[in-house]
Amino acid sequence: MSKEDGVYPEDLHYTKEHEWLKVSGSIATVGITQYAQGELGDIVYVELPQMGAAIVAGEPFGTVESVKAVSEIYAPVSGEVSEINGALEAAPDAVNRDPYGEGWLIRITLAGPLEKEGLMSAADYRKYLEDEAN
Amino acid sequence: MSDANRYIPISDDDRAAMLRSIGIGSIDDLFNSIPAGLRLRGDLDIPGPLSELELIAAFADRAADNAAFDPRSQFLGGGAYRHFAPAVVDHLISRTEFYSSYTPYQPEISQGTLQAIFEYQTLICQLTELDISNASMYEGASALAEAVLMVERMKRRRRVVLSDRLHPEYLGVVKTYLAQLDVEVDTFGHGEDGAADPEAAARALARPASALVVQHPNFFGCLEEVESLAAAAHDAGADLIVTVTEAVALGLLQGPGRQGADVVAGEAQSLGVPLTYGGPYLGFMAARQSFLRNMPGRLVGESADVDGRRGYVLTLSTREQHIRREKATSNICTNEGLCALTAAIFMATVGRSGLREMARQCRAKAAYARERIAAAPGCSLPYAATFFNEFVVRLPVPAGEAVRRLGESGIVPGIPLSRYFPECANDLLVCVTEMNPRAAIDRLADGLGKLG
Amino acid sequence: METRNLRPPEPLLFEVSRPGRRGFDLPALDVPEPERHDLDRRYTRDDIDGFPELSEVEVARHYTRLSRLNYAIDLGLYPLGSCTMKYNPKVNEKLARLPAFADAHPQMPQDLVQGCLRVMHALEKALCAICGMDRFTLQPAAGAQGEQVGIMMVRAYHQARGNPRQVVLIPDSAHGTNPASAHLAGYRIEQIASNDRGCIDLGALRRRVGDDVAVLMLTNPNTLGVFESEIEETARVLHGAGALLYMDGANLNAFLGRARPGDMGVDVHHLNLHKTFSTPHGGGGPGAGPVGVKQNLEPYLPVPTVESGEGGRCTLAYDRPASIGKVRSFFGNFGMHLRALAYILTHGPRGLRNVAEGAVLNANYIRHHLAGLYHLPYDAPSLHEVVLSDRRLEGTGVRTLDVAKRLMDYGFHPPTIYFPLIVRGALMIEPTESESREELDAFIAAMRAIEAEARRDPDLVRNAPHTTPVRRLDETAAARIPVLRWTASDQKKS
């Protein structure tokens, strides 16, 4: 699976650490991109924070583990954890199969207005992936 | 004869032909990347070479420097134990496919090692009555230190409380491992009977701690009240870690897991691993299921291959150093694989009834010895707590002197506690196993009775 | 080694177990009235649930059959980079089993075990001479524990001078135990860049050193098999800033008898007896990782040390006030010390030189015959190991992993793969001096054949191995739902 095949929905924001962010009012949903799940390989375990935990933009809030690697997941925004995807405990492979849908990781209640710094559009993220490859 | 060419299958002709084949003039040219100033001019200042005959003679001389002794008249414990190991154990681990093979990172050609370790993990779980075991650690003291680190990593209370009845070397190693990490190490006391005091533990846990650590049986041979200690730990939100130095005791004693321990980490040398003057030994660690992703060391798991055949693999490797690097659960890489195999074969051979029988004999002989020694003139027993196969005797003379005097009749009566506790000058730690016949025990008691 | 046959796979011990079978007996209990001595029931267990019951015959068969599923060094080459899988001399196994050594209890009074102490002392002395260091501790049980002990001593050194410092510098090509060990010793890790030879970038080091840097951990030769030719200058830069130089000695086989870490400005280094000094790998240990130090670190050695006095009488010294303390019970993996000493005595000074020469010749022979076909990422001169990659196979769909798996069908253990991390798809090949030209030629031929298969019939390679006792295993499932032991309810399934 190469970056060219990548699916990057237009309505999401993206980060350099390969997370995606979907904002709906004051709630933000976070996951990892199709590129990230491809790089990691078959995901075997996802470590998520507790409900109510404080999330700080730029800081790691959990890990995604495959057979051969573990990756920190970095917060794209600041806020408080309002929901975690409990289904991932039994089915971590949802992150591989459907990274933007069933593979969502956490929902955050935003601390303040959305700070666009550090967030990319789908087009910018695609370009970022191409640049990284060269 | 020179130069050990029996291990290097490259003759002078081979060398010449290979150099020609790769277009290099001389062997020295291959070392040009070493700066001239660093190249050694002369020979290393070391002895040798020795032919195999000469080597055997040299080591026979070294062996003769060890005093001859009768193992039946040795009563030493204190962290290493003389037990019987059936001949089939050494026979099987001497198979080159086991001892000369590499770590099983390529499972398709390592199923022998992997299945044997899976079985070993199971046996350790059965013995300790816990859910998961790793594939081995270096030895008991560092295994305990790693268990303490694991619990601290999970609970992060920056304080651990240890019984003052631990083997002093185990206590020392835990302190060494924790010295550079900002974690307080406190101890709690014991009762007059020689066992750790659960009330003292509860008082020590009044301030938050991640772990309570006890040894069972403890260094002085006394059995601990594991259930009460577990309650004290859990009431304070801490985990109970039990360390074991005499694994054969678990043939008779309840598994600490059943009694409330969260982690059992210690030494399994008693299970068929030769004494070998202190190493290589066999650290083991077992824990509740919830510790799974924090366990240090390798783990072997069950799987199936593309044809559906059952097979075994190293798993959850992402915890380990080669992937996680500084965030790993430990730095351990090479562990004690062949010693774990030794213990597994021992447990398989000795078996369900055999290990219980061995433990029963140790306890019966030790109880007999203790009774006879207590009745010997000038000897007393400072600790009343229940014991397994080790106990302390208070002598009418310094224990060091007793060891010297009994040594003249070929008896090694025990360990002078002054080695670890200078204030216990007259105390001797005596260990009895199934290897000590009654006649030797009688001679020991008689010998100790003549000291005064 | 066993290949696939019609016999069903070897069951687990617990599946072979049958009630009432015994493999063991003891003499009758000879003390009177043993029932008087029974332990209080509140401490005891009635049984060991699930423990197997087997006769000696079944134990012997079970493990003999299991052993035949393993590859081993006595079957052929293990070209594992940085592992130095060399031949394990058989006489050393015999010496280690001499009762005077195998049965020596570590609590014996020192006067009665002078043979053991003299073996340890002789090994320390030989290692000092071989490595150009002032003292060695034989305590660490493995290389990783050696690294940990080494960095702890570095910390004690700095602490004694009033500033423990915070940072350990480690190149991006380093083995994972390096950062893991430094972390355990309480330090923060910072990566330091490599240059285009894969060696330490001196400029980057000069810019980085400061009061907060405790030590640089360097592997020499590095994990590409290339000698760190600027190591002396590296040491000067570090010492100039009050920092120390640690050397990971896993690759010592490359320059035994030709150069010594102590002459390079190294302050502290470990080595691996189960690599350079031939002690058997055991399927994952036991090993031993002695640590050599210069005088400046001598006060911090773990206790006890082995001291030699009048008439060669040896003692264990515990009274060392600046020591980092105890790092394990007793004195170290004595059984491996003995084997390593035997290896050194067997070879003598010229023999050890021959070892390095054979190792470097064999590695360069392989490099010469494969570097045209497989991609060579760094063309700096190789010493005892060479790193190739799968870059030339791009487009075939065959990767390093597949090449490794297909090698097993040719009767070889694969090289180290995907390490060092600085090379994508790395194949790290270290043959050691224990290999004959015929064995190397067979390996080269196999690698050539696989390269051709990758172009002609890639699925054959991608689905390898085909002839091993089990084929590729599902590592994902094993990690998603870990099953780490047999349980009694499994019995009903099987």
Side-chain angles (χ1 to χ4, degrees):
Chain A
M1 187 157 290
S2 68
K3 297 145 283 311
E4 294 81 67
D5 299 326
V7 175
Y8 304 108
E10 299 291 326
D11 60 331
L12 304 179
H13 303 279
Y14 298 85
T15 68
K16 288 203 163 108
E17 284 81 28
H18 310 292
E19 288 95 21
W20 57 261
L21 182 75
K22 181 179 183 137
V23 182
S24 194
S26 63
I27 304 285
T29 309
V30 182
I32 64 170
T33 67
Q34 189 187 67
Y35 171 76
Q37 67 78 28
E39 286 291 294
L40 281 166
D42 289 334
I43 289 166
V44 302
Y45 186 71
V46 181
E47 193 185 347
L48 297 172
Q50 307 270 42
M51 290 283 289
I55 299 291
V56 177
E59 301 267 301
F61 67 84
T63 61
V64 178
E65 190 181 316
S66 70
V67 172
K68 58 177 172 125
V70 186
S71 240
E72 244 86 45
I73 327 166
Y74 293 89
V77 291
S78 302
E80 199 180 281
V81 179
S82 62
E83 228 184 308
I84 56 175
N85 186 352
L88 293 180
E89 182 153 353
D93 58 311
V95 180
N96 294 114
R97 277 185 291 103
D98 188 12
Y100 306 107
E102 276 179 45
W104 67 275
L105 300 176
I106 61 170
R107 294 210 167 92
I108 303 173
T109 311
L110 290 172
L114 183 65
E115 284 168 34
K116 294 280 181 66
E117 212 183 295
L119 298 178
M120 292 182 268
S121 67
D124 287 343
Y125 181 64
R126 249 185 231 109
K127 179 147 195 320
Y128 170 65
L129 288 180
E130 274 169 39
D131 291 344
E132 283 273 283
N134 306 330
Chain B
M1 287 298 287
S2 67
D3 305 330
N5 279 333
R6 62 183 185 273
Y7 303 144
I8 304 176
I10 306 173
S11 68
D12 290 341
D13 286 349
D14 290 324
R15 208 184 247 222
M18 288 168 75
L19 285 171
R20 262 196 319 273
S21 154
I22 65 179
I24 298 280
S26 87
I27 272 278
D28 285 336
D29 292 344
L30 289 173
F31 289 92
N32 283 343
S33 54
I34 301 180
L38 290 177
R39 293 177 209 161
L40 285 178
R41 267 168 279 283
D43 283 344
L44 293 171
D45 181 18
I46 54 171
L50 298 182
S51 66
E52 190 163 311
L53 259 178
E54 292 163 311
L55 189 72
I56 292 171
F59 276 88
D61 286 344
R62 283 294 77 72
D65 286 336
N66 279 357
F69 66 90
D70 181 356
R72 294 172 297 184
S73 296
Q74 232 187 49
F75 296 89
L76 296 173
Y81 301 89
R82 180 181 297 285
H83 287 287
F84 177 68
V88 71
V89 176
D90 188 54
H91 169 84
L92 289 167
I93 61 146
S94 299
R95 286 186 70 86
T96 183
E97 297 94 331
F98 282 134
Y99 81 79
S100 83
S101 63
Y102 182 62
T103 312
Y105 290 125
Q106 299 290 355
E108 297 89 343
I109 51 177
S110 315
Q111 286 299 295
T113 297
L114 288 164
Q115 181 168 335
I117 298 297
F118 183 82
E119 293 169 345
Y120 161 83
Q121 287 170 187
T122 305
L123 293 162
I124 294 292
C125 289
Q126 291 168 338
L127 215 50
T128 57
E129 300 193 78
L130 281 167
D131 307 317
I132 52 178
S133 159
N134 68 16
S136 75
M137 319 257 348
Y138 303 133
E139 45 75 55
S142 56
L144 174 61
E146 293 256 22
V148 172
L149 285 177
M150 172 175 73
V151 170
E152 172 54 38
R153 209 166 37 234
M154 294 167 74
K155 290 214 179 255
R156 300 188 182 280
R157 289 177 170 189
R158 303 215 156 286
R159 180 168 175 259
V160 295
V161 176
L162 287 77
S163 162
D164 67 357
R165 302 271 91 183
L166 287 188
H167 191 307
E169 295 199 343
Y170 282 48
L171 192 51
V173 172
V174 171
K175 287 182 174 166
T176 304
Y177 269 61
L178 290 180
Q180 32 270 320
L181 312 169
D182 181 25
V183 177
E184 241 183 283
V185 179
D186 285 332
T187 55
F188 75 96
H190 55 278
E192 272 183 23
D193 65 349
D197 179 0
E199 276 170 37
R203 282 195 300 275
L205 291 169
R207 274 198 306 124
S210 300
L212 184 70
V213 182
V214 299
Q215 179 177 329
H216 176 63
N218 71 27
F219 177 68
F220 302 83
C222 310
L223 300 187
E224 300 295 14
E225 299 300 326
V226 178
E227 276 160 17
S228 307
L229 292 159
H234 297 150
D235 284 347
D239 283 335
L240 178 67
I241 303 175
V242 172
T243 187
V244 175
T245 60
E246 169 49 303
V248 166
L250 295 176
L252 201 55
L253 300 178
Q254 276 185 55
R258 177 183 291 269
Q259 297 183 299
D262 301 289
V263 185
V264 179
E267 179 59 64
Q269 171 272 324
S270 291
L271 304 177
V273 177
L275 286 164
T276 335
Y277 201 53
Y281 282 177
L282 175 57
F284 74 91
M285 186 183 299
R288 303 205 173 290
Q289 188 66 29
S290 53
F291 289 82
L292 178 61
R293 291 198 136 75
N294 282 282
M295 280 287 261
R298 287 195 262 268
L299 294 168
V300 174
E302 192 178 289
S303 183
D305 79 353
V306 291
D307 294 331
R309 243 184 191 221
R310 180 174 71 181
Y312 301 91
V313 290
L314 292 177
T315 191
L316 300 181
S317 316
T318 50
R319 301 158 301 119
E320 293 182 67
Q321 49 75 27
H322 57 290
I323 293 177
R324 208 76 168 91
R325 300 172 75 90
E326 67 265 21
K327 299 200 174 84
T329 53
S330 168
N331 65 341
I332 196 167
C333 183
T334 294
N335 48 14
E336 301 290 319
L338 196 69
C339 298
L341 178 66
T342 304
I345 300 175
F346 175 90
M347 288 187 270
T349 310
V350 165
R352 192 165 179 158
S353 55
L355 191 60
R356 288 176 59 69
E357 178 62 20
M358 184 181 269
R360 204 181 133 249
Q361 288 212 6
C362 289
R363 158 71 193 186
K365 288 179 186 248
Y368 172 74
R370 190 168 177 272
E371 217 173 53
R372 284 237 38 218
I373 292 171
C379 299
S380 65
L381 302 168
Y383 302 122
T386 314
F387 61 96
F388 173 64
N389 70 344
E390 282 185 280
F391 53 91
V392 178
V393 176
R394 193 154 285 164
L395 301 172
V397 303
E401 185 190 319
V403 168
R404 252 188 336 273
R405 285 165 63 181
L406 266 74
E408 286 157 18
S409 1
I411 302 173
V412 185
I415 301 169
L417 280 186
S418 53
R419 190 173 294 176
Y420 301 102
F421 305 98
E423 67 278 13
C424 298
N426 288 26
D427 287 355
L428 184 75
L429 180 64
V430 179
C431 176
V432 186
T433 73
E434 77 285 353
M435 300 288 275
N436 302 111
R438 179 191 173 164
I441 297 172
D442 289 337
R443 271 200 310 278
L444 169 71
D446 293 340
L448 291 175
K450 294 197 178 102
L451 289 170
Chain C
M1 191 180 72
E2 198 72 74
T3 53
R4 306 292 291 272
N5 58 33
L6 296 175
R7 206 191 172 106
E10 185 61 25
L12 291 167
L13 281 174
F14 318 97
E15 294 165 338
V16 179
S17 171
R18 293 289 180 273
R21 296 204 182 153
R22 290 177 61 103
F24 173 73
D25 50 27
L26 278 174
L29 186 50
D30 59 358
V31 297
E33 301 173 304
E35 49 307 326
R36 278 201 306 116
H37 303 304
D38 280 346
L39 267 176
D40 191 321
R41 285 185 58 78
R42 68 194 180 84
Y43 293 108
T44 59
R45 69 203 298 166
D46 291 329
D47 198 354
I48 313 172
D49 280 336
F51 234 56
E53 297 175 81
L54 300 156
S55 68
E56 184 176 312
V57 179
E58 291 156 300
V59 171
R61 289 216 176 130
H62 177 78
Y63 286 100
T64 301
R65 289 198 287 248
L66 282 184
S67 77
R68 285 160 58 84
L69 301 175
N70 273 3
Y71 189 80
I73 195 64
D74 281 353
L75 288 168
L77 169 68
Y78 267 97
L80 285 163
S82 275
C83 293
T84 315
M85 283 296 283
K86 63 172 72 180
Y87 177 72
N88 310 134
K90 304 314 175 207
V91 66
N92 298 353
E93 294 307 303
K94 213 167 150 164
L95 298 174
R97 285 169 168 79
L98 289 172
F101 297 124
D103 292 346
H105 194 294
Q107 295 279 15
M108 282 288 270
Q110 292 173 36
D111 280 343
L112 303 181
V113 285
Q114 284 293 302
C116 294
L117 293 172
R118 291 180 69 175
V119 164
M120 291 172 68
H121 180 256
L123 178 64
E124 181 185 347
K125 200 158 165 232
L127 293 176
C128 286
I130 291 167
C131 299
M133 304 301 280
D134 295 325
R135 295 250 14 204
F136 262 86
T137 170
L138 301 181
Q139 298 234 7
Q145 198 179 40
E147 292 168 22
Q148 186 181 347
V149 166
I151 303 299
M152 283 185 187
M153 288 195 279
V154 164
R155 193 190 183 88
Y157 168 92
H158 285 304
Q159 219 143 23
R161 282 149 186 78
N163 173 19
R165 305 189 174 212
Q166 291 80 41
V167 174
V168 171
L169 296 176
I170 301 181
D172 45 10
S173 55
H175 192 273
T177 52
N178 288 180
S181 304
H183 179 72
L184 269 175
Y187 279 111
R188 211 176 70 229
I189 286 87
E190 263 181 46
Q191 252 184 27
I192 187 101
S194 316
N195 59 26
D196 57 11
R197 297 180 103 226
C199 292
I200 193 101
D201 182 336
L202 260 185
L205 181 65
R206 282 196 188 97
R207 285 190 298 278
R208 183 56 189 87
V209 286
D211 291 358
D212 61 335
V213 173
V215 64
L216 168 72
M217 291 179 84
L218 200 65
T219 305
N220 189 27
N222 65 20
T223 53
L224 296 165
V226 175
F227 193 87
E228 287 279 357
S229 49
E230 297 182 295
I231 190 168
E232 287 178 284
E233 181 59 19
T234 302
R236 272 193 288 273
V237 169
L238 289 161
H239 294 154
L244 297 175
L245 177 58
Y246 181 98
M247 193 190 96
D248 179 327
N251 289 334
L252 197 71
N253 216 44
F255 54 73
L256 269 180
R258 288 234 165 206
R260 306 183 312 173
D263 300 330
M264 300 171 194
V266 169
D267 299 291
V268 50
H269 78 93
H270 79 273
L271 37 86
N272 306 67
L273 296 187
H274 48 294
K275 296 186 181 183
T276 318
F277 294 96
S278 87
T279 73
H281 250 78
V291 176
V293 295
K294 290 290 181 63
Q295 273 304 122
N296 56 351
L297 289 171
E298 190 271 351
Y300 315 109
L301 288 169
V303 286
T305 55
V306 180
E307 306 298 334
S308 176
E310 240 182 85
R313 187 175 169 277
C314 293
T315 50
L316 294 165
Y318 288 89
D319 185 17
R320 299 180 56 93
S323 165
I324 58 172
K326 276 212 75 62
V327 297
R328 60 160 298 145
S329 60
F330 306 123
F331 329 114
N333 283 355
F334 175 78
M336 318 327 280
H337 303 159
L338 192 154
R339 290 170 170 89
L341 179 63
Y343 180 81
I344 292 168
L345 293 174
T346 295
H347 286 73
R350 292 275 181 75
L352 291 183
R353 249 178 110 96
N354 279 348
V355 164
E357 289 175 5
V360 170
L361 176 62
N362 282 352
N364 278 276
Y365 185 81
I366 289 179
R367 173 176 163 154
H368 178 87
H369 290 287
L370 286 180
L373 199 57
Y374 286 84
H375 174 240
L376 180 76
Y378 288 84
D379 70 0
S382 303
L383 281 174
H384 68 311
E385 64 192 3
V386 55
V387 176
L388 303 172
S389 92
D390 60 358
R391 191 190 288 195
R392 293 233 181 111
L393 294 175
E394 226 166 279
T396 63
V398 169
R399 311 152 297 158
T400 287
L401 179 70
D402 306 313
V403 172
K405 298 299 184 190
R406 183 62 177 151
L407 262 170
M408 295 188 227
D409 288 327
Y410 283 86
F412 294 101
H413 190 283
T416 303
I417 53 175
Y418 300 107
F419 180 80
L421 299 175
I422 53 174
V423 172
R424 226 190 142 108
L427 281 150
M428 193 206 273
I429 299 168
E430 179 190 355
T432 84
E433 73 284 1
S434 299
E435 302 306 326
S436 69
R437 187 186 178 180
E438 291 73 35
E439 187 74 4
L440 299 183
D441 285 339
F443 173 73
I444 290 163
M447 289 288 281
R448 287 207 168 124
I450 295 169
E451 200 275 347
E453 286 169 354
R455 300 188 186 285
R456 189 187 73 233
D457 185 2
D459 279 347
L460 179 67
V461 184
R462 293 174 62 214
N463 294 324
H466 303 278
T467 60
T468 47
V470 299
R471 298 183 56 208
R472 281 201 213 191
L473 290 149
D474 189 347
E475 305 202 6
T476 302
R480 281 200 179 138
I481 305 176
V483 174
L484 305 177
R485 56 163 296 183
W486 173 90
T487 49
S489 55
D490 294 349
Q491 189 76 338
K492 291 161 191 118
K493 281 192 248 155
S494 63

